[in-house]
Amino acid sequence: MLAWVLLFLPPVSSAQRSEPVFSSITKSILPPNYENNPTQLNYGVAVTDVDGDGDLEVFVAGYNGPNLVLKYIQDQKRLVNIAVDNRSSPFYALRDRQGNAIGVTACDIDGDGREEIYVLNTNNAFSGRATYSDKLFKFRNGRFEDLLNDDINEHRDVANRMAGRSVACVDRKGTGRYAIYIANYASGNVGPHALIEMDELASDLSQGVIALSNVAEEAGVNKFTGGRGVVVGPILNQILPDVFCDNEYGPNFLFRNNGDGTFTDVAQQAGVEDPMQHGRGVALADFNRDGRTDIVYGNWNGPHRLFMQLNNRRQKFKDIASQKFSMPSPVRTVIAADFDNDNELEVFFNNIAYRGPSANRLFRVSRREHGDPQIEELNVGEASEPEGRGTGAVATDFDGDGRLELLVSHGESAAQPLSVYKVLQGTSNSWLRVIPRTKFGAFARGAKVVVYTKKSGTHTRIIDGGSGYLCEMEPVAHFGLGKDVATGVEVYWPDGRSVVRLLEPSDLNSVLEIQYPRDVEVTPTAQTECGHGFALNEKGRCTDEDECTRYPFACPLDRPVCVNTYGSYRCRAKRRCNQGFEPSDDGSACVGQVAYFGGTRSFADRKWSGLCFWLLLPHVLRPGLL
């Protein structure tokens, strides 16, 4: 009888079998109420030091209510809104109820060492021209004021009055002063992407005059499209910041930094155009720890992507998303972080309950020695929110315990309060948090941070300048170490400067602030211990060891071709392929060459393009969603 019962029980997924990762702490840390957590429509979320006290606050874009600034009060163990409804408050202007805000980012645009806050307002416009401009808030005269409202900028007509979505910060020239990238949602030829930065020649900082200019045309990014997600970091470049945009009703953009402050869109050559999908949340990470930046993003009710960057001149990126990972959903924000500090990255998909329940999902992406990372769905626990109208999310460490909390915003189709979750797993795992600073002392958004470990090689993080969807993560490189030990940390700034710092055991489970190098590059004074697959170079730094050159007979006879990878190597069989095809990673088959740098798509890819377009037409659903 028991056998028959078991036979007809519904199958249990691995995510259901695993222990839950998240537990709700909303009632204790941010109970819903009118002052701190109102039930309203909220959208994007950003993490920055709003009040200048050295701690991080959370800025929440309010759509049909005020923007919120949530500060963690240590002795109360509560998040409290400091942007109160009091005109004498220095944070009062940040509320800006009229704006219908959706996107937000923060960075230092004028080099004073304190981040300004850019808020993208829609004023109920879906696309094209809006009737209410965005805001760029600067703290001066004892309070926050809108720079775009200054006379000089009014006359320059620089304020963005277009319906946009995500915004992000980019130090395009490596000066330490940031520009704001604005992914506008164009209507025909109205509303190209914008790039607003300080005009140094027209500004007089001694007199408090900050002149702003839209340099999108000069930089080569003034494109018309249905802009959605934006993320900034050294993607194709090793240090210079590139820009990736996943778009709607048009191909994605991958703007490669040319080194002179201009950009070239190479999305087609890189194989990440995805022209038939509608992008939303996006994040950067190095999932397989090969030193190359990978791109993960969600498509609205389409297949989600995990593009691994390859060491291949012909094919630059490969989508390794598993069937479960890529499963279509009404996705909004996407976050890549090590929530449980186990030394592997997780990917969080925040969905919106659109035409029915749609639970949030969590995946672990684990590095494998000789192959693509393993993707495993986890039990997201109480952060599932199947009825949640998710619109944004961030991961940050509120309480300083070294474990990331998750804050999720809701809105659009129903007013819901914010929710906050803590991680249940990994309480005994080690961690390290690194905060690099610019030459002016501000958070170094876009900087690359590399941590060297004894057992697991190198781990790379990029200080976020805008990601997720409409959001910006904390300006901290968070490393979960598990039971491993970090031996050194290296920081690369967008201008090419770098610093190496050796770590002591006492540095584990702490927050390190790394200052910008003032004179000469700092080099280690003692020998660094490198992980497996790495060796010390003449500068005392851990670099990849080429096992294929050092050990010519490393591969077996049935797979004699040795391919060096970052921190390891792999072996594949010899195989000749016809034109338009190349050996797969393991050499077991010939696969179509989809993307080339400096070339065109192969016939194996081109012959399907008309069919894909035909399949799209009957199913195009214009999401009436922001």
Side-chain angles (χ1 to χ4, degrees):
M1 181 65 182
L2 178 60
W4 281 103
V5 172
L6 292 176
L7 180 64
F8 289 101
L9 282 175
V12 179
S13 69
S14 60
Q16 291 173 314
R17 289 196 301 268
S18 63
E19 292 297 318
V21 174
F22 291 109
S23 174
S24 176
I25 56 173
T26 307
K27 290 183 179 179
S28 61
I29 195 173
L30 189 61
N33 59 45
Y34 180 77
E35 291 81 14
N36 302 312
N37 190 5
T39 299
Q40 64 180 31
L41 304 181
N42 295 311
Y43 275 96
V45 187
V47 183
T48 182
D49 182 5
V50 177
D51 60 4
D53 69 345
D55 295 328
L56 295 173
E57 285 79 46
V58 177
F59 188 105
V60 181
Y63 188 76
N64 70 338
N67 301 324
L68 307 173
V69 179
L70 302 176
K71 182 176 183 61
Y72 186 76
I73 309 300
Q74 195 69 241
D75 56 355
Q76 299 180 20
K77 299 188 183 305
R78 289 278 186 98
L79 285 166
V80 174
N81 178 31
I82 61 174
V84 295
D85 190 9
N86 183 339
R87 292 182 179 275
S88 64
S89 166
F91 314 111
Y92 177 78
L94 298 178
R95 294 171 61 85
D96 196 26
R97 291 185 63 106
Q98 308 96 300
N100 299 120
I102 62 168
V104 59
T105 193
C107 51
D108 182 11
I109 67 162
D110 59 354
D112 68 346
R114 185 166 182 168
E115 293 199 317
E116 283 68 48
I117 303 172
Y118 190 96
V119 181
L120 191 149
N121 296 314
T122 65
N123 199 233
N124 290 311
F126 179 86
S127 63
R129 196 171 300 278
T131 58
Y132 190 88
S133 73
D134 297 349
K135 301 287 186 179
L136 179 54
F137 292 109
K138 177 177 177 56
F139 192 82
R140 64 182 181 186
N141 303 318
R143 63 185 184 275
F144 277 95
E145 298 176 343
D146 177 23
L147 289 177
L148 293 170
N149 195 43
D150 287 354
D151 288 343
I152 187 171
N153 294 318
E154 287 275 4
H155 291 138
R156 295 166 75 93
D157 194 28
V158 69
N160 186 63
R161 291 182 174 85
M162 302 296 171
R165 296 300 185 272
S166 295
V167 284
C169 295
V170 54
D171 182 5
R172 66 186 183 111
K173 294 183 178 179
T175 64
R177 294 186 174 97
Y178 289 82
I180 309 293
Y181 189 102
I182 306 165
N184 284 322
Y185 201 110
S187 176
N189 62 351
V190 176
H193 282 201
L195 189 64
I196 294 178
E197 67 183 18
M198 186 180 77
D199 184 336
E200 295 189 33
L201 295 178
S203 300
D204 186 350
L205 297 181
S206 65
Q207 300 299 315
V209 177
I210 300 174
L212 302 170
S213 296
N214 183 358
V215 297
E217 183 176 2
E218 169 194 327
V221 299
N222 60 328
K223 288 196 169 190
F224 295 91
T225 189
R228 286 292 185 174
V230 179
V231 69
V232 174
I235 303 172
L236 299 177
N237 284 288
Q238 286 297 308
I239 298 172
L240 293 171
D242 306 306
V243 180
F244 177 80
C245 306
D246 57 351
N247 300 316
E248 186 166 70
Y249 297 112
N252 299 332
F253 304 150
L254 177 52
F255 290 114
R256 182 182 60 202
N257 194 316
N258 297 321
D260 58 0
T262 66
F263 297 86
T264 301
D265 183 14
V266 296
Q268 181 180 10
Q269 297 95 313
V272 294
E273 275 193 308
D274 216 3
M276 302 303 180
Q277 299 302 324
H278 308 298
R280 289 299 191 273
V282 57
L284 302 177
D286 179 10
F287 289 104
N288 58 352
R289 302 201 290 273
D290 66 349
R292 299 178 183 87
T293 303
D294 310 313
I295 306 171
V296 58
Y297 65 89
N299 283 314
W300 175 261
N301 283 329
H304 308 322
R305 308 295 191 189
L306 203 170
F307 277 115
M308 302 294 296
Q309 189 168 175
L310 307 176
N311 183 23
N312 188 326
R313 289 181 299 175
R314 294 174 296 178
Q315 184 180 356
K316 196 62 179 174
F317 287 91
K318 178 179 72 170
D319 183 13
I320 67 162
S322 64
Q323 184 176 4
K324 287 186 177 181
F325 188 96
S326 64
M327 187 174 70
S329 68
V331 66
R332 305 311 291 261
T333 289
V334 176
I335 297 175
D338 188 353
F339 286 102
D340 56 2
N341 289 339
D342 69 342
N343 217 7
E344 302 288 357
L345 289 168
E346 287 83 45
V347 175
F348 174 75
F349 287 110
N350 167 226
N351 295 315
I352 184 171
Y354 173 71
R355 298 183 177 178
S358 185
N360 300 327
R361 306 180 73 197
L362 185 70
F363 294 84
R364 177 179 291 123
V365 183
S366 304
R367 179 184 182 273
R368 288 192 291 190
E369 189 72 17
H370 299 293
D372 294 332
Q374 177 180 342
I375 301 174
E376 171 192 7
E377 185 172 8
L378 304 178
N379 184 344
V380 73
E382 293 180 356
S384 171
E385 296 189 349
E387 300 293 340
R389 267 59 170 185
T391 51
V394 291
T396 186
D397 181 12
F398 289 126
D399 52 12
D401 66 352
R403 290 188 295 159
L404 296 173
E405 282 79 40
L406 174 68
L407 183 145
V408 181
S409 64
H410 313 91
E412 188 159 300
S413 55
Q416 294 178 339
L418 304 164
S419 53
V420 187
Y421 300 93
K422 70 174 181 181
V423 179
L424 296 172
Q425 302 176 13
T427 56
S428 63
N429 288 336
S430 297
W431 51 273
L432 181 69
R433 289 168 61 79
V434 182
I435 304 177
R437 298 282 184 171
T438 68
K439 65 178 70 174
F440 304 111
F443 298 124
R445 307 274 185 181
K448 183 163 70 173
V449 182
V450 180
V451 161
Y452 301 96
T453 65
K454 283 188 174 181
K455 300 177 182 178
S456 56
T458 61
H459 299 254
T460 303
R461 303 286 188 269
I462 296 170
I463 304 299
D464 193 57
S467 66
Y469 178 59
L470 314 173
C471 297
E472 182 183 50
M473 304 300 129
E474 60 176 0
V476 184
H478 179 90
F479 297 90
L481 297 171
K483 307 307 176 186
D484 205 349
V485 176
T487 58
V489 60
E490 188 165 16
V491 177
Y492 297 89
W493 280 264
D495 65 354
R497 301 293 295 273
S498 64
V499 160
V500 177
R501 175 172 169 179
L502 296 179
L503 299 178
E504 301 294 334
S506 59
D507 290 321
L508 296 185
N509 302 327
S510 69
V511 180
L512 302 180
E513 292 219 7
I514 307 294
Q515 303 300 320
Y516 181 85
R518 293 297 175 185
D519 298 313
V520 297
E521 182 180 338
V522 178
T523 55
T525 56
Q527 182 167 320
T528 301
E529 185 175 355
C530 298
H532 176 73
F534 296 86
L536 284 174
N537 65 10
E538 64 277 4
K539 294 184 178 180
R541 298 184 180 179
C542 294
T543 56
D544 174 51
E545 181 179 41
D546 188 346
E547 292 89 350
C548 296
T549 301
R550 185 171 182 181
Y551 308 107
F553 303 103
C555 292
L557 294 177
D558 60 331
R559 290 179 291 125
V561 180
C562 183
V563 180
N564 186 58
T565 62
Y566 196 73
S568 185
Y569 68 98
R570 66 174 182 268
C571 301
R572 65 172 175 83
K574 285 185 177 180
R575 178 176 288 271
R576 291 185 177 181
C577 298
N578 294 330
Q579 184 177 2
F581 295 84
E582 62 183 355
S584 61
D585 286 344
D586 60 3
S588 61
C590 291
V591 296
Q593 296 175 337
V594 175
Y596 299 83
F597 261 112
T600 58
R601 292 174 181 267
S602 68
F603 173 76
D605 180 57
R606 290 199 304 268
K607 67 181 180 180
W608 295 103
S609 59
L611 175 61
C612 293
F613 181 71
W614 177 84
L615 287 172
L616 175 72
L617 292 178
H619 304 288
V620 168
L621 171 66
R622 179 179 179 85
L625 299 172
L626 298 173

